[in-house]
Amino acid sequence: MMCQHGYMLFERFRGFLAAVLPAVAATLPIVVAPPASADPCPDIEVIFARGTGADPGLGFVGDALVNSLRSKVGGQSVGTYAVNYPAGWNFDTSAPAGAADASARVQWMADNCPNTKLVLGGMSQGAGVIDLITVDATPPGRFTATPLPPRLADHVAAVAVFGNPLRTMRGGGPLPAMSRTFGPKTIDMCALDDIFCSPGKSLPAHFAYVENGMTDQAADFVAARVR
């Protein structure tokens, strides 16, 4: 008897649910999950190539440049893109790979975020990566330049390089002197006696761009270009 009684109660409860739940559901708002979407295009994007041997990312100079820039551009949003390349000691393959990736990122941003102001930057070998896509012609040495076409160059508001090896190559020099297209948009920072960009022989100077204030100085230059 108890089993039969329990079964009858269960059936009545199931009937109640069948009758009531549709009516309750009809009174509830319909919630639709928003579709997945990419982050909105930033006002500014810094495309930065780290130096030789640095872990993937912007590197310590790139991080410092971006942090300083964010403090100088008011309400403008600043996105970042770390150039995807080996940053290895085989410069013959590493630097061109970085140039290809940086160029592809500029292309992608121009197509998908045409109003974003792009900033190109690099440290040491990373500066060489940026040289390859901004100089007017093939620089001295064994590398072949692949300059950005004018359509893409127009999207670049500023260029900032640090410890640039192009400065010490025979026939080379600071990037602004090597590029008619990007010269007025470019700041090329070389610390006093930096072994890789000056006649000096100081290795510590090559790693002093944050402490010596040059990343902040470069951020001032870039901020004036993107305001």
Side-chain angles (χ1 to χ4, degrees), residues 3-224:
C3 290
Q4 184 178 3
H5 181 67
Y7 177 77
M8 291 175 62
L9 287 176
F10 172 76
E11 286 296 307
R12 289 179 182 178
F13 182 66
R14 187 170 68 173
F16 170 79
L17 290 178
V20 172
L21 285 182
V24 173
T27 66
L28 297 175
I30 297 175
V31 178
V32 179
S37 61
D39 292 336
C41 296
D43 298 314
I44 303 159
E45 180 172 275
V46 178
I47 300 170
F48 200 91
R50 70 196 189 278
T52 305
D55 292 334
L58 301 180
F60 73 100
V61 170
D63 284 335
L65 175 67
V66 170
N67 290 337
S68 182
L69 180 62
R70 283 179 172 145
S71 72
K72 300 175 187 294
V73 293
Q76 293 189 86
S77 59
V78 180
T80 63
Y81 177 80
V83 174
N84 183 17
Y85 85 117
W89 293 99
N90 186 351
F91 302 133
D92 288 348
T93 58
S94 180
D101 187 74
S103 183
R105 181 61 180 183
V106 174
Q107 174 80 67
W108 192 93
M109 289 298 291
D111 292 342
N112 294 277
C113 296
N115 295 322
T116 296
K117 299 169 185 176
L118 303 179
V119 177
L120 303 180
M123 162 65 180
S124 193
Q125 183 184 170
V129 165
I130 300 304
D131 292 337
L132 291 178
I133 64 173
T134 55
V135 294
D136 292 328
T138 294
R142 57 188 182 269
F143 298 105
T144 300
T146 52
L148 292 170
R151 182 184 75 82
L152 297 182
D154 289 344
H155 290 269
V156 177
V159 180
V161 290
F162 304 83
N164 186 4
L166 181 63
R167 282 174 167 260
T168 58
M169 294 180 181
R170 180 175 296 179
L175 181 54
M178 304 295 291
S179 176
R180 289 186 300 271
T181 300
F182 294 96
K185 305 177 181 181
T186 300
I187 187 167
D188 187 328
M189 308 301 294
C190 181
L192 180 66
D193 291 333
D194 182 337
I195 189 172
F196 293 110
C197 63
S198 80
K201 301 297 182 183
S202 173
L203 183 60
H206 189 61
F207 298 99
Y209 287 96
V210 179
E211 291 79 5
N212 68 16
M214 284 188 168
T215 51
D216 196 54
Q217 183 181 343
D220 283 332
F221 175 86
V222 172

